[in-house]
Amino acid sequence: MTIFPAIDLKDGKAVRLTKGLMESAKIYSDTPWELVKTFEEMGAKWVHLVDLNGAFAGEPKNLEQIRAIRENCNVKLQLGGGIRDEATIQRYLELGIDRLILGSIALRDPEFVKSMAAKYPIVVGIDAIDGYVAVEGWGEVSSMRATDLARAFADAGVEAIICTDVGRDGTLSGVNVDFTLEIARASGIPTIASGGVKDDSDIVALQKSGEVSGVIIGKAFYEGRINLNNFF
């Protein structure tokens, strides 16, 4: 199971949010690329990046920081936040990003996502509040169940699905293992758990399930609740 240390970019800084609320942002670094380098030196193979400003604006907003990360670090990068068209996908791939996460657009225009997955390394991000898909930076909750959206991409050629229980994200209350397994079983696609990881026990529980391909870890690391050296 792949461990994805996470960095959320807001106004050029590395932050973490609680339940997706921008006003809850806690700054952990003014130089995000140095933080990515730390993860790389610890042994991480991948780092998960989110352009938070971009998620709300619907277009890239932290390009300077993303470029600095790519130029200074060799770890693989998966990036999401505000990616809504093919031009943006191409721009990021030319910048050296390894794969792109399509979230809100996966609900709005699933056929577009499928067409992109046929050409590019695409991951679908499914964020849920009480089991229903949340979009536009989690500011809007749809009427579609997360498992139904996952099922829609079962044979679409996407590389993975990242599923986030928004209610747990940044709360250190424990990852939602059952929700992650529901998404994995509905889609048949490698599924990455996200939201609420509190300590080593969450990683162990996901590993024991045998059905989860990865886990995204943010605040648990930053707050000293988890030692990533134990898992690389």
Side-chain angles (χ1 to χ4, degrees):
M1 191 176 74
T2 303
I3 306 296
F4 294 82
I7 291 180
D8 290 347
L9 299 168
K10 179 178 183 288
D11 304 331
K13 304 179 189 304
V15 307
R16 294 302 290 171
L17 306 184
T18 299
K19 298 184 179 180
L21 300 173
M22 287 290 268
E23 60 269 23
S24 72
K26 182 175 181 179
I27 298 171
Y28 287 100
S29 176
D30 291 331
T31 50
W33 75 263
E34 293 183 350
L35 199 50
V36 175
K37 196 68 179 177
T38 297
F39 291 135
E40 182 181 324
E41 291 170 352
M42 291 174 71
K45 303 300 182 185
W46 283 89
V47 169
H48 174 82
L49 301 175
V50 177
D51 179 351
L52 289 175
N53 302 104
F56 283 88
E59 61 183 9
K61 289 294 183 182
N62 282 279
L63 272 172
E64 181 181 339
Q65 287 70 32
I66 294 166
R67 184 178 290 107
I69 289 169
R70 182 68 292 168
E71 290 177 350
N72 289 282
C73 306
N74 296 315
V75 67
K76 290 184 177 181
L77 300 172
Q78 69 177 18
L79 169 69
I83 303 171
R84 305 281 196 272
D85 55 46
E86 186 169 6
T88 302
I89 291 171
Q90 292 174 335
R91 186 178 189 182
Y92 277 136
L93 290 174
E94 289 168 1
L95 197 64
I97 303 303
D98 295 279
R99 64 187 188 187
L100 288 310
I101 305 160
L102 300 182
S104 295
I105 194 70
L107 177 69
R108 308 284 193 215
D109 191 352
E111 293 309 312
F112 167 77
V113 175
K114 292 176 183 179
S115 69
M116 293 299 98
K119 296 191 283 185
Y120 308 112
I122 298 297
V123 174
V124 168
I126 299 179
D127 306 326
I129 294 176
D130 297 327
Y132 290 89
V133 179
V135 293
E136 307 304 333
W138 302 345
E140 179 184 335
V141 181
S142 75
S143 60
M144 175 171 279
R145 295 201 66 83
T147 48
D148 291 336
L149 184 59
R151 195 172 290 111
F153 289 100
D155 299 306
V158 301
E159 294 197 353
I161 288 179
I162 297 171
C163 61
T164 303
D165 182 339
V166 175
R168 299 193 186 206
D169 193 67
T171 65
L172 299 172
S173 59
V175 71
N176 192 335
V177 177
D178 291 340
F179 171 63
T180 307
L181 293 177
E182 287 173 3
I183 295 295
R185 292 165 183 168
S187 67
I189 297 170
T191 300
I192 300 166
S194 174
V197 172
K198 67 181 186 303
D199 56 29
D200 291 13
S201 67
D202 282 327
I203 298 178
V204 172
L206 291 167
Q207 288 175 326
K208 284 184 175 179
S209 76
E211 298 180 65
V212 179
S213 70
V215 57
I216 292 169
I217 298 172
K219 188 172 285 187
F221 167 77
Y222 296 115
E223 296 293 327
R225 302 285 194 93
I226 199 165
N227 183 356
L228 291 180
N229 287 308
N230 293 334
F231 298 98
F232 292 138

mmCIF file with all atom_site columns, all heavy atoms in Angstrom, residues 35-53:
data_model
loop_
_atom_site.group_PDB
_atom_site.id
_atom_site.type_symbol
_atom_site.label_atom_id
_atom_site.label_alt_id
_atom_site.label_comp_id
_atom_site.label_asym_id
_atom_site.label_entity_id
_atom_site.label_seq_id
_atom_site.pdbx_PDB_ins_code
_atom_site.Cartn_x
_atom_site.Cartn_y
_atom_site.Cartn_z
_atom_site.occupancy
_atom_site.B_iso_or_equiv
_atom_site.pdbx_formal_charge
_atom_site.auth_seq_id
_atom_site.auth_comp_id
_atom_site.auth_asym_id
_atom_site.auth_atom_id
_atom_site.pdbx_PDB_model_num
ATOM 1   N N   . LEU A 1 35 ? 9.409  21.086 2.080  1.00 0.00 ? 35 LEU A N   1
ATOM 2   C CA  . LEU A 1 35 ? 8.631  20.053 2.761  1.00 0.00 ? 35 LEU A CA  1
ATOM 3   C C   . LEU A 1 35 ? 8.560  18.788 1.906  1.00 0.00 ? 35 LEU A C   1
ATOM 4   O O   . LEU A 1 35 ? 8.708  17.667 2.415  1.00 0.00 ? 35 LEU A O   1
ATOM 5   C CB  . LEU A 1 35 ? 7.226  20.589 3.044  1.00 0.00 ? 35 LEU A CB  1
ATOM 6   C CG  . LEU A 1 35 ? 6.370  19.902 4.097  1.00 0.00 ? 35 LEU A CG  1
ATOM 7   C CD1 . LEU A 1 35 ? 7.118  19.701 5.401  1.00 0.00 ? 35 LEU A CD1 1
ATOM 8   C CD2 . LEU A 1 35 ? 5.091  20.710 4.324  1.00 0.00 ? 35 LEU A CD2 1
ATOM 9   N N   . VAL A 1 36 ? 8.349  18.959 0.612  1.00 0.00 ? 36 VAL A N   1
ATOM 10  C CA  . VAL A 1 36 ? 8.333  17.807 -0.299 1.00 0.00 ? 36 VAL A CA  1
ATOM 11  C C   . VAL A 1 36 ? 9.687  17.114 -0.286 1.00 0.00 ? 36 VAL A C   1
ATOM 12  O O   . VAL A 1 36 ? 9.773  15.881 -0.282 1.00 0.00 ? 36 VAL A O   1
ATOM 13  C CB  . VAL A 1 36 ? 7.951  18.247 -1.727 1.00 0.00 ? 36 VAL A CB  1
ATOM 14  C CG1 . VAL A 1 36 ? 8.060  17.061 -2.688 1.00 0.00 ? 36 VAL A CG1 1
ATOM 15  C CG2 . VAL A 1 36 ? 6.528  18.803 -1.757 1.00 0.00 ? 36 VAL A CG2 1
ATOM 16  N N   . LYS A 1 37 ? 10.751 17.893 -0.252 1.00 0.00 ? 37 LYS A N   1
ATOM 17  C CA  . LYS A 1 37 ? 12.095 17.320 -0.208 1.00 0.00 ? 37 LYS A CA  1
ATOM 18  C C   . LYS A 1 37 ? 12.283 16.492 1.060  1.00 0.00 ? 37 LYS A C   1
ATOM 19  O O   . LYS A 1 37 ? 12.922 15.434 1.032  1.00 0.00 ? 37 LYS A O   1
ATOM 20  C CB  . LYS A 1 37 ? 13.134 18.443 -0.260 1.00 0.00 ? 37 LYS A CB  1
ATOM 21  C CG  . LYS A 1 37 ? 14.545 17.956 -0.600 1.00 0.00 ? 37 LYS A CG  1
ATOM 22  C CD  . LYS A 1 37 ? 14.603 17.448 -2.034 1.00 0.00 ? 37 LYS A CD  1
ATOM 23  C CE  . LYS A 1 37 ? 15.990 16.981 -2.422 1.00 0.00 ? 37 LYS A CE  1
ATOM 24  N NZ  . LYS A 1 37 ? 16.010 16.424 -3.805 1.00 0.00 ? 37 LYS A NZ  1
ATOM 25  N N   . THR A 1 38 ? 11.712 16.949 2.158  1.00 0.00 ? 38 THR A N   1
ATOM 26  C CA  . THR A 1 38 ? 11.782 16.191 3.411  1.00 0.00 ? 38 THR A CA  1
ATOM 27  C C   . THR A 1 38 ? 11.116 14.832 3.249  1.00 0.00 ? 38 THR A C   1
ATOM 28  O O   . THR A 1 38 ? 11.657 13.807 3.672  1.00 0.00 ? 38 THR A O   1
ATOM 29  C CB  . THR A 1 38 ? 11.101 16.974 4.546  1.00 0.00 ? 38 THR A CB  1
ATOM 30  O OG1 . THR A 1 38 ? 11.815 18.191 4.770  1.00 0.00 ? 38 THR A OG1 1
ATOM 31  C CG2 . THR A 1 38 ? 11.090 16.154 5.833  1.00 0.00 ? 38 THR A CG2 1
ATOM 32  N N   . PHE A 1 39 ? 9.949  14.823 2.637  1.00 0.00 ? 39 PHE A N   1
ATOM 33  C CA  . PHE A 1 39 ? 9.252  13.552 2.407  1.00 0.00 ? 39 PHE A CA  1
ATOM 34  C C   . PHE A 1 39 ? 10.081 12.639 1.508  1.00 0.00 ? 39 PHE A C   1
ATOM 35  O O   . PHE A 1 39 ? 10.171 11.429 1.741  1.00 0.00 ? 39 PHE A O   1
ATOM 36  C CB  . PHE A 1 39 ? 7.885  13.800 1.766  1.00 0.00 ? 39 PHE A CB  1
ATOM 37  C CG  . PHE A 1 39 ? 6.887  14.467 2.677  1.00 0.00 ? 39 PHE A CG  1
ATOM 38  C CD1 . PHE A 1 39 ? 6.096  15.520 2.229  1.00 0.00 ? 39 PHE A CD1 1
ATOM 39  C CD2 . PHE A 1 39 ? 6.721  14.038 3.986  1.00 0.00 ? 39 PHE A CD2 1
ATOM 40  C CE1 . PHE A 1 39 ? 5.168  16.129 3.048  1.00 0.00 ? 39 PHE A CE1 1
ATOM 41  C CE2 . PHE A 1 39 ? 5.795  14.647 4.826  1.00 0.00 ? 39 PHE A CE2 1
ATOM 42  C CZ  . PHE A 1 39 ? 5.021  15.693 4.356  1.00 0.00 ? 39 PHE A CZ  1
ATOM 43  N N   . GLU A 1 40 ? 10.673 13.220 0.497  1.00 0.00 ? 40 GLU A N   1
ATOM 44  C CA  . GLU A 1 40 ? 11.504 12.433 -0.424 1.00 0.00 ? 40 GLU A CA  1
ATOM 45  C C   . GLU A 1 40 ? 12.665 11.794 0.319  1.00 0.00 ? 40 GLU A C   1
ATOM 46  O O   . GLU A 1 40 ? 12.962 10.601 0.138  1.00 0.00 ? 40 GLU A O   1
ATOM 47  C CB  . GLU A 1 40 ? 12.017 13.342 -1.547 1.00 0.00 ? 40 GLU A CB  1
ATOM 48  C CG  . GLU A 1 40 ? 12.850 12.629 -2.582 1.00 0.00 ? 40 GLU A CG  1
ATOM 49  C CD  . GLU A 1 40 ? 13.342 13.587 -3.663 1.00 0.00 ? 40 GLU A CD  1
ATOM 50  O OE1 . GLU A 1 40 ? 12.606 14.521 -4.039 1.00 0.00 ? 40 GLU A OE1 1
ATOM 51  O OE2 . GLU A 1 40 ? 14.476 13.382 -4.134 1.00 0.00 ? 40 GLU A OE2 1
ATOM 52  N N   . GLU A 1 41 ? 13.314 12.575 1.171  1.00 0.00 ? 41 GLU A N   1
ATOM 53  C CA  . GLU A 1 41 ? 14.467 12.061 1.923  1.00 0.00 ? 41 GLU A CA  1
ATOM 54  C C   . GLU A 1 41 ? 14.066 11.002 2.932  1.00 0.00 ? 41 GLU A C   1
ATOM 55  O O   . GLU A 1 41 ? 14.873 10.152 3.309  1.00 0.00 ? 41 GLU A O   1
ATOM 56  C CB  . GLU A 1 41 ? 15.183 13.231 2.598  1.00 0.00 ? 41 GLU A CB  1
ATOM 57  C CG  . GLU A 1 41 ? 15.876 14.154 1.593  1.00 0.00 ? 41 GLU A CG  1
ATOM 58  C CD  . GLU A 1 41 ? 16.383 15.454 2.198  1.00 0.00 ? 41 GLU A CD  1
ATOM 59  O OE1 . GLU A 1 41 ? 16.060 15.710 3.391  1.00 0.00 ? 41 GLU A OE1 1
ATOM 60  O OE2 . GLU A 1 41 ? 17.104 16.189 1.504  1.00 0.00 ? 41 GLU A OE2 1
ATOM 61  N N   . MET A 1 42 ? 12.787 11.046 3.367  1.00 0.00 ? 42 MET A N   1
ATOM 62  C CA  . MET A 1 42 ? 12.294 10.019 4.287  1.00 0.00 ? 42 MET A CA  1
ATOM 63  C C   . MET A 1 42 ? 12.030 8.702  3.572  1.00 0.00 ? 42 MET A C   1
ATOM 64  O O   . MET A 1 42 ? 11.916 7.659  4.210  1.00 0.00 ? 42 MET A O   1
ATOM 65  C CB  . MET A 1 42 ? 10.998 10.500 4.948  1.00 0.00 ? 42 MET A CB  1
ATOM 66  C CG  . MET A 1 42 ? 11.181 11.644 5.922  1.00 0.00 ? 42 MET A CG  1
ATOM 67  S SD  . MET A 1 42 ? 9.598  12.287 6.544  1.00 0.00 ? 42 MET A SD  1
ATOM 68  C CE  . MET A 1 42 ? 9.089  10.922 7.586  1.00 0.00 ? 42 MET A CE  1
ATOM 69  N N   . GLY A 1 43 ? 11.911 8.761  2.249  1.00 0.00 ? 43 GLY A N   1
ATOM 70  C CA  . GLY A 1 43 ? 11.681 7.545  1.478  1.00 0.00 ? 43 GLY A CA  1
ATOM 71  C C   . GLY A 1 43 ? 10.369 7.491  0.731  1.00 0.00 ? 43 GLY A C   1
ATOM 72  O O   . GLY A 1 43 ? 10.026 6.461  0.137  1.00 0.00 ? 43 GLY A O   1
ATOM 73  N N   . ALA A 1 44 ? 9.611  8.587  0.740  1.00 0.00 ? 44 ALA A N   1
ATOM 74  C CA  . ALA A 1 44 ? 8.335  8.610  0.026  1.00 0.00 ? 44 ALA A CA  1
ATOM 75  C C   . ALA A 1 44 ? 8.569  8.451  -1.472 1.00 0.00 ? 44 ALA A C   1
ATOM 76  O O   . ALA A 1 44 ? 9.507  9.017  -2.034 1.00 0.00 ? 44 ALA A O   1
ATOM 77  C CB  . ALA A 1 44 ? 7.600  9.912  0.301  1.00 0.00 ? 44 ALA A CB  1
ATOM 78  N N   . LYS A 1 45 ? 7.699  7.676  -2.120 1.00 0.00 ? 45 LYS A N   1
ATOM 79  C CA  . LYS A 1 45 ? 7.751  7.510  -3.573 1.00 0.00 ? 45 LYS A CA  1
ATOM 80  C C   . LYS A 1 45 ? 6.840  8.512  -4.272 1.00 0.00 ? 45 LYS A C   1
ATOM 81  O O   . LYS A 1 45 ? 7.074  8.885  -5.422 1.00 0.00 ? 45 LYS A O   1
ATOM 82  C CB  . LYS A 1 45 ? 7.341  6.088  -3.955 1.00 0.00 ? 45 LYS A CB  1
ATOM 83  C CG  . LYS A 1 45 ? 8.168  4.992  -3.298 1.00 0.00 ? 45 LYS A CG  1
ATOM 84  C CD  . LYS A 1 45 ? 9.641  5.105  -3.651 1.00 0.00 ? 45 LYS A CD  1
ATOM 85  C CE  . LYS A 1 45 ? 10.451 3.958  -3.027 1.00 0.00 ? 45 LYS A CE  1
ATOM 86  N NZ  . LYS A 1 45 ? 11.907 4.121  -3.255 1.00 0.00 ? 45 LYS A NZ  1
ATOM 87  N N   . TRP A 1 46 ? 5.760  8.892  -3.571 1.00 0.00 ? 46 TRP A N   1
ATOM 88  C CA  . TRP A 1 46 ? 4.775  9.829  -4.106 1.00 0.00 ? 46 TRP A CA  1
ATOM 89  C C   . TRP A 1 46 ? 4.491  10.917 -3.070 1.00 0.00 ? 46 TRP A C   1
ATOM 90  O O   . TRP A 1 46 ? 4.568  10.665 -1.863 1.00 0.00 ? 46 TRP A O   1
ATOM 91  C CB  . TRP A 1 46 ? 3.449  9.127  -4.394 1.00 0.00 ? 46 TRP A CB  1
ATOM 92  C CG  . TRP A 1 46 ? 3.394  8.288  -5.628 1.00 0.00 ? 46 TRP A CG  1
ATOM 93  C CD1 . TRP A 1 46 ? 3.710  6.955  -5.729 1.00 0.00 ? 46 TRP A CD1 1
ATOM 94  C CD2 . TRP A 1 46 ? 2.974  8.694  -6.930 1.00 0.00 ? 46 TRP A CD2 1
ATOM 95  N NE1 . TRP A 1 46 ? 3.511  6.521  -7.011 1.00 0.00 ? 46 TRP A NE1 1
ATOM 96  C CE2 . TRP A 1 46 ? 3.049  7.566  -7.772 1.00 0.00 ? 46 TRP A CE2 1
ATOM 97  C CE3 . TRP A 1 46 ? 2.529  9.912  -7.468 1.00 0.00 ? 46 TRP A CE3 1
ATOM 98  C CZ2 . TRP A 1 46 ? 2.704  7.609  -9.124 1.00 0.00 ? 46 TRP A CZ2 1
ATOM 99  C CZ3 . TRP A 1 46 ? 2.184  9.959  -8.804 1.00 0.00 ? 46 TRP A CZ3 1
ATOM 100 C CH2 . TRP A 1 46 ? 2.277  8.816  -9.626 1.00 0.00 ? 46 TRP A CH2 1
ATOM 101 N N   . VAL A 1 47 ? 4.126  12.093 -3.561 1.00 0.00 ? 47 VAL A N   1
ATOM 102 C CA  . VAL A 1 47 ? 3.570  13.147 -2.712 1.00 0.00 ? 47 VAL A CA  1
ATOM 103 C C   . VAL A 1 47 ? 2.288  13.642 -3.371 1.00 0.00 ? 47 VAL A C   1
ATOM 104 O O   . VAL A 1 47 ? 2.210  13.799 -4.595 1.00 0.00 ? 47 VAL A O   1
ATOM 105 C CB  . VAL A 1 47 ? 4.563  14.313 -2.511 1.00 0.00 ? 47 VAL A CB  1
ATOM 106 C CG1 . VAL A 1 47 ? 3.871  15.508 -1.849 1.00 0.00 ? 47 VAL A CG1 1
ATOM 107 C CG2 . VAL A 1 47 ? 5.740  13.864 -1.640 1.00 0.00 ? 47 VAL A CG2 1
ATOM 108 N N   . HIS A 1 48 ? 1.278  13.844 -2.545 1.00 0.00 ? 48 HIS A N   1
ATOM 109 C CA  . HIS A 1 48 ? -0.050 14.284 -2.984 1.00 0.00 ? 48 HIS A CA  1
ATOM 110 C C   . HIS A 1 48 ? -0.157 15.791 -2.798 1.00 0.00 ? 48 HIS A C   1
ATOM 111 O O   . HIS A 1 48 ? 0.015  16.307 -1.695 1.00 0.00 ? 48 HIS A O   1
ATOM 112 C CB  . HIS A 1 48 ? -1.099 13.555 -2.134 1.00 0.00 ? 48 HIS A CB  1
ATOM 113 C CG  . HIS A 1 48 ? -2.507 13.984 -2.355 1.00 0.00 ? 48 HIS A CG  1
ATOM 114 N ND1 . HIS A 1 48 ? -3.269 13.518 -3.394 1.00 0.00 ? 48 HIS A ND1 1
ATOM 115 C CD2 . HIS A 1 48 ? -3.302 14.837 -1.652 1.00 0.00 ? 48 HIS A CD2 1
ATOM 116 C CE1 . HIS A 1 48 ? -4.480 14.056 -3.320 1.00 0.00 ? 48 HIS A CE1 1
ATOM 117 N NE2 . HIS A 1 48 ? -4.525 14.863 -2.280 1.00 0.00 ? 48 HIS A NE2 1
ATOM 118 N N   . LEU A 1 49 ? -0.421 16.512 -3.894 1.00 0.00 ? 49 LEU A N   1
ATOM 119 C CA  . LEU A 1 49 ? -0.522 17.967 -3.850 1.00 0.00 ? 49 LEU A CA  1
ATOM 120 C C   . LEU A 1 49 ? -1.933 18.419 -4.221 1.00 0.00 ? 49 LEU A C   1
ATOM 121 O O   . LEU A 1 49 ? -2.546 17.861 -5.134 1.00 0.00 ? 49 LEU A O   1
ATOM 122 C CB  . LEU A 1 49 ? 0.452  18.605 -4.849 1.00 0.00 ? 49 LEU A CB  1
ATOM 123 C CG  . LEU A 1 49 ? 1.944  18.303 -4.702 1.00 0.00 ? 49 LEU A CG  1
ATOM 124 C CD1 . LEU A 1 49 ? 2.714  18.926 -5.859 1.00 0.00 ? 49 LEU A CD1 1
ATOM 125 C CD2 . LEU A 1 49 ? 2.474  18.815 -3.370 1.00 0.00 ? 49 LEU A CD2 1
ATOM 126 N N   . VAL A 1 50 ? -2.414 19.440 -3.518 1.00 0.00 ? 50 VAL A N   1
ATOM 127 C CA  . VAL A 1 50 ? -3.696 20.048 -3.860 1.00 0.00 ? 50 VAL A CA  1
ATOM 128 C C   . VAL A 1 50 ? -3.537 21.559 -3.923 1.00 0.00 ? 50 VAL A C   1
ATOM 129 O O   . VAL A 1 50 ? -3.038 22.171 -2.979 1.00 0.00 ? 50 VAL A O   1
ATOM 130 C CB  . VAL A 1 50 ? -4.797 19.685 -2.834 1.00 0.00 ? 50 VAL A CB  1
ATOM 131 C CG1 . VAL A 1 50 ? -6.109 20.396 -3.200 1.00 0.00 ? 50 VAL A CG1 1
ATOM 132 C CG2 . VAL A 1 50 ? -5.016 18.182 -2.786 1.00 0.00 ? 50 VAL A CG2 1
ATOM 133 N N   . ASP A 1 51 ? -3.954 22.134 -5.041 1.00 0.00 ? 51 ASP A N   1
ATOM 134 C CA  . ASP A 1 51 ? -4.002 23.581 -5.188 1.00 0.00 ? 51 ASP A CA  1
ATOM 135 C C   . ASP A 1 51 ? -5.359 24.037 -4.642 1.00 0.00 ? 51 ASP A C   1
ATOM 136 O O   . ASP A 1 51 ? -6.361 24.008 -5.349 1.00 0.00 ? 51 ASP A O   1
ATOM 137 C CB  . ASP A 1 51 ? -3.848 23.947 -6.667 1.00 0.00 ? 51 ASP A CB  1
ATOM 138 C CG  . ASP A 1 51 ? -3.906 25.447 -6.924 1.00 0.00 ? 51 ASP A CG  1
ATOM 139 O OD1 . ASP A 1 51 ? -4.227 26.208 -5.989 1.00 0.00 ? 51 ASP A OD1 1
ATOM 140 O OD2 . ASP A 1 51 ? -3.651 25.853 -8.074 1.00 0.00 ? 51 ASP A OD2 1
ATOM 141 N N   . LEU A 1 52 ? -5.388 24.411 -3.374 1.00 0.00 ? 52 LEU A N   1
ATOM 142 C CA  . LEU A 1 52 ? -6.662 24.775 -2.739 1.00 0.00 ? 52 LEU A CA  1
ATOM 143 C C   . LEU A 1 52 ? -7.296 25.999 -3.386 1.00 0.00 ? 52 LEU A C   1
ATOM 144 O O   . LEU A 1 52 ? -8.505 26.017 -3.638 1.00 0.00 ? 52 LEU A O   1
ATOM 145 C CB  . LEU A 1 52 ? -6.446 25.028 -1.244 1.00 0.00 ? 52 LEU A CB  1
ATOM 146 C CG  . LEU A 1 52 ? -6.146 23.811 -0.378 1.00 0.00 ? 52 LEU A CG  1
ATOM 147 C CD1 . LEU A 1 52 ? -5.851 24.259 1.046  1.00 0.00 ? 52 LEU A CD1 1
ATOM 148 C CD2 . LEU A 1 52 ? -7.305 22.831 -0.384 1.00 0.00 ? 52 LEU A CD2 1
ATOM 149 N N   . ASN A 1 53 ? -6.487 27.001 -3.657 1.00 0.00 ? 53 ASN A N   1
ATOM 150 C CA  . ASN A 1 53 ? -7.028 28.188 -4.323 1.00 0.00 ? 53 ASN A CA  1
ATOM 151 C C   . ASN A 1 53 ? -7.609 27.806 -5.678 1.00 0.00 ? 53 ASN A C   1
ATOM 152 O O   . ASN A 1 53 ? -8.672 28.288 -6.080 1.00 0.00 ? 53 ASN A O   1
ATOM 153 C CB  . ASN A 1 53 ? -5.945 29.247 -4.512 1.00 0.00 ? 53 ASN A CB  1
ATOM 154 C CG  . ASN A 1 53 ? -5.307 29.693 -3.208 1.00 0.00 ? 53 ASN A CG  1
ATOM 155 O OD1 . ASN A 1 53 ? -4.185 29.282 -2.917 1.00 0.00 ? 53 ASN A OD1 1
ATOM 156 N ND2 . ASN A 1 53 ? -5.998 30.504 -2.428 1.00 0.00 ? 53 ASN A ND2 1
#
